[in-house]
Amino acid sequence: MTQKRFLAVPAVATLGLVLMLAGVAAAQASHCRKDCQQDIKSCLALVPPNKECTGTKAEKKGCRKTHAAQRKHCRSLTKLCEQQNPSMSGTCVLTRTTPTTTTPRPPTTTSTTTSSTSTTTLVGYSGPVTGLHYAPNHNFDSSGNYVPAQAGFNLADVSSVSELDSLPSGVKGLVYLGLCNGADSSFINAVQLFIGHQKLFGFYLMDQPDPTGRSAPLCPAANLMAESDWIHANVPGAQTFIVMININTSTAPVYANTYDPANSHIDLYAPDPYPCRTEVGGCDYSKITSAVAAVEAAGIPRDSIVPVYQAFGAGNWSDDGGGQYTLPTPSQEEQILAVWAPLVPNPVFDYAYSWGTQNADQALEDSPALQTVFSAHNTTSPGSAGPVR
């Protein structure tokens, strides 16, 4: 009856309604071209000139390709605004700002400036939204308890079936392998132990594998393809994952001609731009934007990217700029989350590096203040288990 009554409306009235609604939508999105002009200009200013590309002919070509993708990303902000923010005049793309207190506040814009970038953000947005949160290293105490659960992390760094068995309800396990010899007997024996386990999420095949053999032992893409294919065929539902290697500098990252879905059949890929360093006097958040653009230029779909948040610093780690990494402050960590938010808004999981210390450094396990930041982020994402006390 309702359908018939709707169809009985005179055609001219229906047409008028359609035109009116179309006009409203167009008017709402019309602010984007104007409001995104400065954002696009600022974004383009962060893209390094092609003359900074160094290395072999292939590396220079990959670097220039990355810069082109970064410029394309900058120019796409108007379209992103029309999709995500059609009605809020005066703002281009909605992200978040760093709140100075835990008291909820109405949305207000602010500008956060570092030594090399300015980011306009919006209060109340908690970063990429996902139901799974991972922070590796030192995940279990001397009694076998999964410690990162206290900050809302629910994807555990595990290496044995007994650790997987011990996980609390609502927590899954990501098994680190680190082999890259293809689906040989050692690989099959290691993976078979986890087949059918209800708490298994997937396998962390390698950390920064190197297809060239220049920075780490040679890891051919074909070997990772064989491993990933074996897992997909024999462990239904398990995800395969790597942290990617940047074959250029952090200011002009290049991931092209390393690993991608076509040559490796891996499910998920993580660039790991760490913006907080001594030589920049704080955090250069443009390194995050540059890394994501470079990964996409290398053929990785956005929904296959895993964001990695810096949560370590000091110690014996040195960076590629002649300085050291610094442990982000809580406000800097909030900004890291904010910068990632529009770049990879809904990842399969996100990754805070690191829960445990590894090189006489500082990490999440040492910082209750950063644990508070991540607890707020982790427990507001859909599907998160919440802190375990």
Side-chain angles (χ1 to χ4, degrees), residues 107-130:
T108 54
T109 59
T110 185
S111 179
T112 303
T113 304
T114 69
S115 60
S116 60
T117 184
S118 178
T119 304
T120 300
T121 54
L122 183 72
V123 171
Y125 196 77
S126 60
V129 177
T130 178

Side-chain angles (χ1 to χ4, degrees), residues 82-222:
E82 291 170 350
Q83 294 171 343
Q84 297 185 359
N85 181 34
S87 59
M88 185 179 288
S89 180
T91 301
C92 180
V93 178
L94 301 182
T95 53
R96 70 170 295 183
T97 191
T98 303
T100 56
T101 72
T102 57
T103 305
R105 293 190 244 168
T108 54
T109 59
T110 185
S111 179
T112 303
T113 304
T114 69
S115 60
S116 60
T117 184
S118 178
T119 304
T120 300
T121 54
L122 183 72
V123 171
Y125 196 77
S126 60
V129 177
T130 178
L132 288 170
H133 310 282
Y134 176 71
N137 303 314
H138 298 186
N139 274 196
F140 297 90
D141 63 19
S142 58
S143 300
N145 299 307
Y146 174 61
V147 183
Q150 67 193 32
F153 290 98
N154 58 1
L155 183 58
D157 174 16
V158 301
S159 57
S160 68
V161 173
S162 61
E163 288 179 343
L164 200 58
D165 288 338
S166 72
L167 294 177
S169 175
V171 177
K172 296 284 188 178
L174 181 62
V175 179
Y176 183 76
L177 295 174
L179 298 172
C180 196
N181 294 316
D184 61 6
S185 58
S186 296
F187 171 84
I188 293 171
N189 290 338
V191 173
Q192 278 182 329
L193 298 171
F194 299 92
I195 293 177
H197 202 296
Q198 294 300 305
K199 294 181 179 179
L200 176 69
F201 169 78
F203 295 90
Y204 191 154
L205 298 183
M206 286 291 291
D207 188 75
Q208 295 185 325
D210 186 351
T212 69
R214 291 198 296 263
S215 301
L218 178 67
C219 180

